[in-house]
Amino acid sequence: MMDLEPGRALTWPLYAPHRVENLDRFCVSLSMDFQTWPSRFRNGALFTNAVIRSRGGAPRFTDGMATPELAARWAASLALKRAGALKSRIAHFERDFEPEVGAADGAGALGR
């Protein structure tokens, strides 16, 4: 576990499991993603595999794929994303606060 103070940052290896908890205040976070072609190919292959799994398939693990197969799955992921093959899991996420300047913790009640 790592507690960060304002102005501090933390990184971790690509695909490493992690969890972020905001403790006592409203928190603004910035997530950044840096990609290389190999990581872009693997991300696309992971998306394509997720689509295959969502339809009952059992795709090969990306760790066992050579670059041409990863590239092909990346290309497939572009078409699958355009076609809306997977529904967003956060598209209908319900917020329970709104940022509010001047509020003690920076968060105000949602105006309904």
Side-chain angles (χ1 to χ4, degrees):
M1 181 154 98
M2 175 79 75
D3 288 337
L4 298 178
E5 298 298 323
R8 303 289 300 186
L10 184 66
T11 66
W12 49 85
L14 188 61
Y15 307 118
H18 63 281
R19 185 174 81 186
V20 177
E21 286 184 36
N22 296 323
L23 300 177
D24 62 343
R25 306 200 150 163
F26 176 72
C27 178
V28 176
S29 299
L30 172 67
S31 295
M32 297 185 338
D33 179 24
F34 298 96
Q35 292 187 13
T36 61
W37 277 106
S39 69
R40 185 173 288 137
F41 286 165
R42 185 158 186 231
N43 285 337
L46 290 170
F47 183 87
T48 299
N49 282 358
V51 172
I52 293 168
R53 273 192 308 281
S54 75
R55 286 155 175 68
R60 286 178 8 93
F61 289 112
T62 58
D63 291 345
M65 293 179 189
T67 300
E69 185 177 3
L70 289 168
R73 295 221 180 187
W74 166 75
S77 77
L78 298 178
L80 291 167
K81 287 176 184 178
R82 214 170 272 132
L86 281 182
K87 302 236 185 290
S88 171
R89 291 201 269 167
I90 64 168
H92 303 290
F93 182 78
E94 188 172 330
R95 297 181 313 173
D96 57 2
F97 70 91
E98 285 184 348
E100 184 177 306
V101 176
D105 63 358
L110 256 183
R112 297 204 185 258

